[in-house]
Every structure is written in C-alpha cells, then in structure tokens.
Amino acid sequence: MALNKVEICGVNTAKLPVLTEEEKELLFEKIKQGDKEARELYIKGNLRLVLSVIKRFGSSNENADDLFQIGCIGLIKAIDNFDTTLNVKFSTYAVPMIIGEIRRYLRDNNAIRVSRSLRDIAYKAIYAKENYVKNNLREPTILEIASEIGIDKEEIVYALDAIQSPVSLYEPVYTEGGDTLYVMDQVSDKKNREENWVENLALQEAMQRLNDREKHIVTLRFYEGKTQMEVAKEIGISQAQVSRLEKNALKSMRTYLRA
C-alpha cells in the first residue's frame, strides 16, 4: 500500500490546512449551530489525522485511497458525535473512531466468511479492550475482557482468531541477494510484542512530555508488560522507586490528556 504519495482521493496532502486550537473551538461553535461550511473546514483541518492513522495499516494489501475514504467516514462520525464538555482533545476522541471504522471495513471485506455471531463477539471484545486501554493505560487480559462482556474466554479467543486474515508461513517478507526472509523466520515463542490495538496520537504526545527515565519505565511496564520487580532489576533501582516514578509519570500523562 503506497502511503507516501502526495495525492490521495484527489486531495493534495502536502497542502492540507492545520487548525489552531482557537480555530477549532470557533469552528465547533459554528458546527453546533448547524453551519455546514464550518463543518467542511473542520473536516479538512483534521485530514492529517486520517493520514496518520492509515499509516498503521501499511502492511495491509488495501488501496491507500480506499483506507483514506473509510478513515474520513470515521473522522466525520467523530466530529458529529464529539462532546466538547468531555475535557479531552478532539484527536484523543477521534483516533479510536477512525481506527475502528477502518478495522470494521477490513474485517467485513475479509475473503473468509465468518458467522455474524462470531463477529459480534469479536467486536465486543475489541471494543472492551480499547476502552480498558484508554482508562487503564495497559492492555487487559482475556479474563478481564471476558468478565467485562460476560462471555467465556474460550469463545472470545475463538472469535478473535476467526476474524484474523490468514497469512502463509511461507509468505516472503524480504529478499536481498537471493536470500529470502519468510514469515516463519520471524515466528517466535517469546511474549507477544505486537503493537497495542489502540495507540492513539494523544497518548504518544503525553509520553513525549515525560523525562527519559519515566518514559523508559512506562514503556517497560505498559508496552512490554513487565512487573515492577522486573523493571527495577533492569534499570538498577528499587521497586519502591519504580512505583513512585510510575505513579508520577501516569499522573503527568493524565494531566496532559485532560488539558
């Protein structure tokens, strides 16, 4: 999927406008009053958000123009449903909506047909997981998801597996000088280090405001799933110090996200 081209769906991405916070607030006031022109300006001013999101799906075989159009649908839904009294940035609210819209499109267009009941279970699990990550800054276990939606963990695992696109272990990933690297060469029995399903832009921005030690601790704890004891051993400080630094880091991030 080519994501580095300048024009997508007839839109020159190099000339997309960037709205200031003040402009966003003024436009939203007009949108509330039914101003269609303000709505169009707000959509155009946030198209870069859609571009940022579709880059996460670069490994898919879908056309970039198609993903951009679907992402725009998610953006429009976010604009139409955004509540300015929530005290969160629009990007914090919009990114999961855009991601969700694209994922639904990819799943519904999967060549392998999956029963409606399985898809419903999978979507409930994914939605529960996204909400959990947003509220707790870590991924839930399957048991926690099962408890949240009231469905057996075995059914959840089966449903999530059913909606995944199959990939051959012998599919080539990279070739150089006649030597080919296949998917099976990258398979490991170590802990899953797959990207978080919801890694929104606002969270990344909040992370950048931490000092290097706090950022390292948050990464080890919530992206690599290590315990405080493991983190303490790795960076050479006590567990109590890790706990204190972790709390300070999360407090700083929450303060930024609520700003």
Side-chain angles (χ1 to χ4, degrees), residues 5-249:
K5 60 181 183 177
V6 174
E7 188 170 292
I8 296 182
C9 295
V11 177
N12 188 334
T13 60
K15 295 183 178 180
L16 288 175
V18 178
L19 300 175
T20 64
E21 290 302 319
E22 184 178 356
E23 287 173 329
K24 288 179 182 178
E25 290 180 11
L26 290 173
L27 285 174
F28 240 110
E29 286 300 320
K30 293 181 180 180
I31 291 172
K32 288 180 182 177
Q33 297 167 10
D35 190 323
K36 293 183 178 180
E37 185 177 347
R39 184 171 177 269
E40 287 298 317
L41 287 173
Y42 201 90
I43 291 171
K44 290 179 181 178
N46 283 278
L47 288 179
R48 290 180 185 273
L49 206 56
V50 178
L51 288 174
S52 297
V53 170
I54 66 174
K55 287 179 181 178
R56 305 181 186 195
F57 297 89
S59 60
S60 76
N61 294 321
E62 293 295 326
N63 183 278
D65 286 20
D66 292 341
L67 291 188
F68 183 74
Q69 290 184 57
I70 300 301
C72 287
I73 293 173
L75 172 64
I76 292 169
K77 286 183 178 180
I79 292 172
D80 291 343
N81 293 283
F82 184 58
D83 184 352
T84 54
T85 64
L86 291 174
N87 293 321
V88 296
K89 290 188 174 183
F90 176 72
S91 60
T92 305
Y93 178 81
V95 168
M97 294 276 283
I98 298 170
I99 291 174
E101 200 68 33
I102 292 174
R103 283 190 174 139
R104 277 190 289 275
Y105 167 78
L106 293 176
R107 290 174 198 129
D108 290 343
N109 282 273
N110 194 323
I112 296 178
R113 304 304 297 174
V114 179
S115 71
R116 181 67 188 179
S117 60
L118 274 180
R119 284 207 305 269
D120 286 345
I121 291 174
Y123 295 162
K124 286 179 182 178
I126 291 168
Y127 182 73
K129 181 174 184 176
E130 290 177 347
N131 278 338
Y132 191 97
V133 172
K134 182 177 179 180
N135 295 327
N136 298 277
L137 298 179
R138 74 171 179 85
E139 290 200 10
T141 64
I142 288 294
L143 282 175
E144 287 171 327
I145 294 175
S147 176
E148 176 67 24
I149 64 178
I151 297 174
D152 291 340
K153 65 176 183 177
E154 289 80 9
E155 287 189 59
I156 294 174
V157 172
Y158 182 67
L160 291 174
D161 283 343
I163 65 171
Q164 299 303 311
S165 299
V167 178
S168 169
L169 289 174
Y170 296 95
E171 181 174 335
V173 176
Y174 179 73
T175 301
E176 182 178 9
D179 294 326
T180 302
L181 178 68
Y182 297 95
V183 170
M184 66 182 300
D185 297 322
Q186 297 183 313
V187 175
S188 169
D189 60 355
K190 295 180 180 179
K191 185 181 67 171
N192 179 13
R193 296 180 185 276
E194 195 175 48
E195 285 187 353
N196 288 336
W197 289 5
V198 175
E199 184 185 0
N200 63 58
L201 298 178
L203 187 56
Q204 292 180 7
E205 292 172 3
M207 281 278 287
Q208 294 306 313
R209 280 151 178 78
L210 303 178
N211 61 44
D212 290 341
R213 173 170 278 190
E214 290 174 335
K215 193 184 302 181
H216 187 43
I217 289 173
V218 170
T219 299
L220 293 175
R221 288 280 290 127
F222 302 109
Y223 287 88
E224 297 188 17
K226 294 189 176 182
T227 66
Q228 288 185 351
M229 284 291 289
E230 290 173 328
V231 174
K233 184 177 181 180
E234 179 167 330
I235 64 178
I237 61 177
S238 69
Q239 182 183 356
Q241 287 177 295
V242 170
S243 178
R244 184 170 65 252
L245 289 168
E246 179 185 313
K247 288 178 181 177
N248 289 338

